[in-house]
Amino acid sequence: MATNRTFTMIKPDAVKAGNIGNILKMINEAGFKIVALKYTQLSKEKAGGFYAVHKERPFYGELVDFMSSGPIVAAVLEKDNAVADFRKLIGATNPAEAEPGTIRALYATNVGENAVHGSDSDENADIESNYHFSQTEIYA
Ligand code: DAT
Ligand code: MG
């Protein structure tokens, strides 16, 4: 399993607001290499499967509706300490609590529509990357 990779999505709110370019620039400037990239819209089924771990949470239905409401950008990113460094770059789940200068502080709408996803462990980075990309779509 790759320990230097993480998985991200630029969520529908940030895509709609025209922030794909701004966010990819921040990702590059923070030293991440983009090794896979896809512009796509998730079906409810695909979004629901991605967030299956949150199935019992009260916001699950809203989350699935939001994540399938418009196009997203999915990417696999490579860097030493990718998972932890990327979580630092995106900031807290709730943008009101995100450090100034983080992607969510700059571009998120609210706790539910928070601009970007970032994997929370090496194991999930691997699972999530494989959920969205085949091996031939990842350019190491
Ligand atoms: P993160 O995306 O920071 O890893 P998470 O895994 O706890 O956060 O939750 C996944 C997503 O679910 C999150 O990005 C937005 C949504 N979410 C989390 N907590 C929420 C809440 N209290 N109200 C509405 N949506 C929430
Ligand atoms: Mg999470």
Side-chain angles (χ1 to χ4, degrees), residues 7-16 40-51 54 59-74 104 111-118 132:
F7 172 78
T8 186
M9 288 183 283
I10 301 175
K11 297 186 180 183
D13 61 322
V15 171
K16 277 198 191 86
T40 187
Q41 182 160 353
L42 303 179
S43 64
K44 278 200 178 196
E45 291 68 32
K46 183 108 180 171
F50 184 83
Y51 283 111
H54 295 302
F59 54 81
Y60 178 72
E62 242 175 87
L63 177 61
V64 171
D65 285 347
F66 165 61
M67 287 302 296
S68 58
S69 68
I72 58 122
V73 175
R104 281 169 167 167
V111 68
E113 305 194 359
N114 58 7
V116 281
H117 169 80
H132 289 272

Side-chain angles (χ1 to χ4, degrees), residues 2 4-5 33-36 76-78 134-140:
N4 61 340
R5 283 186 183 168
K33 179 184 170 191
I34 295 167
V35 295
V76 180
L77 308 176
E78 209 166 79
S134 65
Q135 283 312 304
T136 56
E137 294 175 311
I138 301 175
Y139 301 92

Side-chain angles (χ1 to χ4, degrees), residues 77-114:
L77 308 176
E78 209 166 79
K79 182 185 183 297
D80 287 348
N81 203 33
V83 166
D85 284 2
F86 193 70
R87 293 292 304 201
K88 201 179 278 179
L89 179 67
I90 70 178
T93 306
N94 184 347
E97 292 161 12
E99 287 284 308
T102 58
I103 293 175
R104 281 169 167 167
L106 288 165
Y107 300 119
T109 314
N110 55 54
V111 68
E113 305 194 359
N114 58 7

